[in-house]
Amino acid sequence: MKTHEILDQLRFATNIQQGVSGLLEITANLAGDNQPLETLEFAGTLRREIAQIFEGVGRAILGTTQQERYRTLSELLDAASGDRFLGEEWIRPEASQKLIAMIGETASVRFSYPAAMRPCLDYTMDCAAAGRTPSISFVTPSASQSTMMSQILSILDLGGMVSMDIGWGWDRREVSETDVEVMLPPFGMPGKDDHTIPQRTLASLGLERGKIGRLLSETLAIADATEMTLGRVILATTTGAMFRMVGSETMARENLLRSDRLQAIMGVPSGMMFTNTGIPTLLVTLSPKVGRREAVRFVDLGHELVASKGRRGRFEVLPNASWADLASGGDIADRALARDVSIKEIRESNLVLVPNRYLSTGARERIDALLAKNEVAALEELVEFIRPVSISEDEGGELTLLEAMPSDIGPDGYIGEPKRAVRVGTAKYNKARNQRLIPGDVLIAVKGTVGSVALVPEGIPEENAETIWTAGQSMMILRPTRRGGIAALALYEYLSDPTVQEHIQSLAGGAVIQSIGMKDLKALPIPLPDLETLTEMHQGFQRRQEILFRIEELRKQLEDDRAACWPHRELRAAD
């Protein structure tokens, strides 16, 4: 039967989950003990005539070759994943194939966490086709997924090739000597059950049992890979876990570097591997320790040489792209695709382990060339940093705060009158004085649209006015100091340059919402132009303001001319 024909039959079930689960259970039962339908868990919830239809579909599936059976089941699960039945437990087929190519031929492989199900099945099928019999194990905390996996293996006549274990991937009694570990942990899940975490893993993060605080699954998986394995590791994680400077995450990255096993970190665009998450992810590879490692390879798997954009704008893996070769350390001509970064440079970058930090080489080189021609100072030497705090509205408040956001930045580079108004009482108004905008301030977005920059214009409400302008939490106020010796306009012109914007965005990170760390922002090198350059820059800025004014006048003239013609004239009159 064709897959679409099977899906048509599944419509008789209450939903896709009941349909797929019932079909797998019935088909596995036919391949095994052939128990009465009414004794089966899912089949027992179906009307008998529907269960009999599924039984007919199951017989049709079992009547095909092993490869055809697997193709059919994969397509069914792809459809179920699209319906959010499997969520992140079923990754895209192209990414799965790249992962198993990274595993290669080996004696033992351990697949852990729900999302590793498809790579485990793909690898098992490849081994069966090639006549290889490595030790393969699959570890999942989900009993229902373990049952589904067993049913699929039974349908494929592969039941004896994979050992199953219900539990978390990090729950180990001893250090693993498995040749290859494939770890695809859930993202952003708090590690609450610390009794499942080995003491060695907790200690490596400086944690005590019962006092683990904010420990996320990605960080826990990284620590598990570093402390409790000896072989190769292929690990998926979020960019946030390799960027944030809080809690145990920094320590996990420090241990990763000290292990001398960190081989490569590859950036995976959103949608390329995981079907139901819109966040970009990372693939981290560890090798067995063979000596001191001096560098780590960073790779962009969204680069045009190894990926393309599909019709929906989602990145697609190019068939001839080899993730294994990219991670292994071979020569790469394009440094925007891959680059070997020294441990020293990583430490100078505050242990941030995300590819875009190190692969924006063109922008960095152009900036370095400019800096070499000028006197340079760190941003923290030139400005006062004012970080706005959140101020909530007061019911019946008589004073108004207008909070500036990136969306308020106009084409002229100035912040326009903020659209967000917060009514407050006297106490919160006085608190907001600390983040009141004054002419000559420079605003920069540090969260969300990182790098968006604007000048604060003259003529805004003065201190003690009933309405004042402040900055929203996504913005940082940069207030040039007298001792810093840089004009606000010079700072704005430099920070708003496209090359500098590219560099600033390469410093940002975060799983869902991008942000830039204060250390990176404060350390940003700023060139200090001489008086002649400042004069030229100011004159150029003024010319652009005049051009923008003329453009605005022409836009208004265009609108007026259109309004004077049919049908706009008549329709406008009708209003």
Side-chain angles (χ1 to χ4, degrees):
M1 296 181 69
K2 301 293 184 182
T3 304
H4 69 87
E5 295 174 336
I6 297 174
L7 287 170
D8 284 342
Q9 300 298 321
L10 295 186
R11 76 181 189 279
F12 292 111
T14 304
N15 51 50
I16 190 70
Q17 177 178 359
Q18 185 190 51
V20 171
S21 299
L23 178 61
L24 289 177
E25 182 183 46
I26 289 171
T27 308
N29 180 57
L30 291 170
D33 298 337
N34 203 8
Q35 297 292 319
L37 291 177
E38 57 270 16
T39 66
L40 304 181
E41 180 182 357
F42 277 98
T45 66
L46 299 170
R47 298 201 307 271
R48 181 162 184 80
E49 61 271 22
I50 295 175
Q52 289 174 339
I53 291 173
F54 284 11
E55 190 172 40
V57 174
R59 292 187 190 280
I61 292 173
L62 293 173
T64 61
T65 66
Q66 186 184 59
Q67 287 292 338
E68 278 295 305
R69 272 177 272 162
Y70 186 48
R71 181 189 61 77
T72 299
L73 294 180
S74 295
E75 291 176 355
L76 285 175
L77 292 175
D78 284 336
S81 177
D83 199 58
R84 296 192 176 272
F85 159 38
L86 292 176
E88 295 177 9
E89 297 176 10
W90 191 247
I91 69 172
R92 297 187 66 197
E94 303 86 358
S96 181
Q97 288 299 317
K98 300 301 180 185
L99 290 182
I100 66 170
M102 293 174 70
I103 298 170
E105 294 188 20
T106 188
S108 56
V109 188
R110 181 180 187 257
F111 296 86
S112 52
Y113 309 104
M117 179 167 70
R118 184 175 212 150
C120 182
L121 286 168
D122 283 350
Y123 188 74
T124 304
M125 281 292 294
D126 276 16
C127 289
R132 302 197 310 270
T133 57
S135 170
I136 304 173
S137 59
F138 178 65
V139 183
T140 175
S142 169
S144 61
Q145 189 190 37
S146 178
T147 298
M148 177 184 291
M149 184 72 161
S150 297
Q151 291 167 348
I152 293 172
L153 291 169
S154 177
I155 294 168
L156 299 174
D157 297 325
L158 297 175
M161 287 193 67
V162 181
S163 64
M164 308 288 293
D165 188 16
I166 298 176
W168 289 108
W170 57 69
D171 188 358
R172 308 175 192 262
R173 296 182 180 178
E174 56 188 19
V175 175
S176 169
E177 296 185 358
T178 301
D179 289 340
V180 183
E181 299 248 2
V182 179
M183 305 179 180
L184 307 183
F187 299 146
M189 186 193 77
K192 297 178 180 178
D193 301 326
D194 65 354
H195 65 276
T196 66
I197 307 171
Q199 181 59 38
R200 174 170 173 162
T201 304
L202 285 175
S204 74
L205 297 172
L207 301 175
E208 300 178 25
R209 200 171 301 284
K211 301 177 181 179
I212 63 175
R214 180 187 175 277
L215 179 59
L216 297 181
S217 48
E218 305 101 296
T219 304
L220 189 47
I222 292 168
D224 172 52
T226 307
E227 299 296 324
M228 300 299 289
T229 71
L230 297 175
R232 289 193 293 127
V233 176
I234 303 168
L235 164 71
T237 184
T238 58
T239 56
M242 304 301 252
F243 171 83
R244 288 187 292 261
M245 307 297 293
V246 295
S248 54
E249 292 167 338
T250 306
M251 189 168 294
R253 299 199 297 273
E254 174 68 40
N255 294 339
L256 197 54
L257 283 183
R258 286 185 178 180
S259 72
D260 287 320
R261 295 176 59 198
L262 181 57
Q263 178 188 38
I265 297 177
M266 303 195 288
V268 185
S270 61
M272 179 177 277
M273 179 180 294
F274 297 96
T275 57
N276 290 326
T277 179
I279 63 174
T281 53
L282 301 174
L283 274 182
V284 181
T285 63
L286 278 65
S287 63
K289 185 172 181 178
V290 293
R292 186 163 183 78
R293 188 176 286 276
E294 300 294 340
V296 177
R297 167 154 291 193
F298 288 85
V299 181
D300 176 13
L301 293 180
H303 191 280
E304 62 182 8
L305 292 178
V306 293
S308 64
K309 278 196 173 183
R311 286 178 296 178
R312 298 181 180 177
R314 184 175 62 187
F315 282 92
E316 307 285 350
V317 184
L318 291 181
N320 60 347
S322 172
W323 292 4
D325 290 346
L326 287 169
S328 65
D331 292 337
I332 299 291
D334 192 334
R335 294 206 304 160
L337 167 61
R339 178 174 168 240
D340 296 321
V341 180
S342 69
I343 301 298
K344 179 176 181 293
E345 183 177 346
I346 292 173
R347 291 196 176 280
E348 289 173 350
S349 296
N350 301 317
L351 297 178
V352 171
L353 295 175
V354 293
N356 64 350
R357 171 65 64 102
Y358 305 102
L359 297 180
S360 181
T361 53
R364 293 175 61 183
E365 289 168 357
R366 293 193 296 275
I367 289 171
D368 287 344
L370 173 64
L371 296 176
K373 300 175 184 177
N374 291 271
E375 184 182 348
V376 177
L379 184 59
E380 65 180 338
E381 299 173 17
L382 305 175
V383 302
E384 175 188 359
F385 290 84
I386 302 173
R387 186 71 181 262
V389 298
S390 176
I391 297 180
S392 58
E393 190 153 3
D394 285 334
E395 187 175 350
E398 298 178 351
L399 302 168
T400 303
L401 311 178
L402 299 182
E403 287 193 355
M405 306 288 186
S407 58
D408 296 315
I409 300 174
D412 58 358
Y414 287 105
I415 199 81
E417 181 172 315
K419 299 178 185 66
R420 185 173 191 273
V422 181
R423 299 284 291 176
V424 296
T426 303
K428 289 181 180 177
Y429 178 89
N430 289 332
K431 182 180 180 181
R433 291 175 186 272
N434 297 325
Q435 58 203 55
R436 182 180 70 87
L437 300 182
I438 62 175
D441 283 345
V442 177
L443 291 174
I444 186 169
V446 294
K447 183 184 291 185
T449 55
V450 171
S452 297
V453 62
L455 287 163
V456 176
E458 298 288 342
I460 67 172
E462 297 181 353
E463 188 175 12
N464 298 324
E466 290 187 0
T467 297
I468 58 173
W469 290 18
T470 65
Q473 276 193 293
S474 65
M475 307 291 279
M476 178 73 71
I477 303 172
L478 308 178
R479 185 162 292 164
T481 60
R482 288 187 177 181
R483 68 179 183 276
I486 189 169
L489 180 59
L491 184 59
Y492 163 79
E493 285 288 277
Y494 178 71
L495 293 177
S496 63
D497 179 86
T499 296
V500 179
Q501 286 281 297
E502 180 183 340
H503 175 60
I504 291 173
Q505 287 159 17
S506 78
L507 301 177
V512 180
I513 300 175
Q514 294 282 290
S515 63
I516 185 170
M518 279 298 295
K519 283 186 178 180
D520 290 322
L521 191 60
K522 287 182 175 181
L524 199 67
I526 307 295
L528 304 176
D530 57 28
L531 182 58
E532 181 181 350
T533 304
L534 281 172
T535 301
E536 177 195 18
M537 178 203 66
H538 188 272
Q539 291 172 345
F541 182 79
Q542 288 302 119
R543 286 195 303 272
R544 293 192 297 278
Q545 297 303 305
E546 293 169 5
I547 292 170
L548 285 168
F549 178 79
R550 292 200 299 272
I551 290 173
E552 180 62 18
E553 287 293 308
L554 288 171
R555 186 187 65 79
K556 290 180 180 177
Q557 182 180 337
L558 184 67
E559 290 178 356
D560 291 343
D561 187 270
R562 185 170 187 260
C565 297
W566 186 93
H568 317 294
R569 178 183 57 245
E570 282 75 5
L571 292 173
R572 186 168 182 172
D575 292 339

